């Protein structure tokens, strides 16, 4: 089994092999985080053995985490702007 990666080759996402040479998928941490800033991976691209329910749940968790990161960045930028400083 192989994760479909067409169009993602240039991102440099690390790949993790499945046990017993069953294939490979993208390596990810909690909530789909990857070593590439701003890129999340979830579902069957990370766990090739996941069935529909588990893959959908992983996608929902990655989406929620992505939303949290973006909302936090927007809030930080608004607070810095209100205080007259620039965000780091």
């Amino acid at each position: 089994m192989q994760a479909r990666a067409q169009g993602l080759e240039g991102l440099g996402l690390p790949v993790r092999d499945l046990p017993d040479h069953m294939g490979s998928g993208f390596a990810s941490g909690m909530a789909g985080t990857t070593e590439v800033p701003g890129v999340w991976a979830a579902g069957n691209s990370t766990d090739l053995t996941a069935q529909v329910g588990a893959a959908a749940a992983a996608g929902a968790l990655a989406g929620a985490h992505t939303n949290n990161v973006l909302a936090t960045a927007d809030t930080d930028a608004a607070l810095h702007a209100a205080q007259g400083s620039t965000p780091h």
Side-chain angles (χ1 to χ4, degrees):
M1 295 183 281
Q2 295 289 110
R4 291 186 180 174
Q6 295 80 8
L8 303 175
E9 299 87 0
L11 293 175
L13 291 168
V15 176
R16 174 177 43 216
D17 291 328
L18 290 172
D20 299 323
H21 307 288
M22 292 181 61
S24 60
F26 296 119
S28 69
M30 182 61 122
T33 57
T34 69
E35 293 178 5
V36 179
V39 177
W40 284 259
N44 291 103
S45 69
T46 60
D47 181 358
L48 295 144
T49 62
Q51 294 186 13
V52 174
L61 181 59
H65 188 262
T66 303
N67 185 62
N68 178 48
V69 169
L70 294 173
T72 300
D74 285 349
T75 301
D76 289 346
L79 288 172
H80 287 296
Q83 296 169 351
S85 62
T86 57
H88 300 163

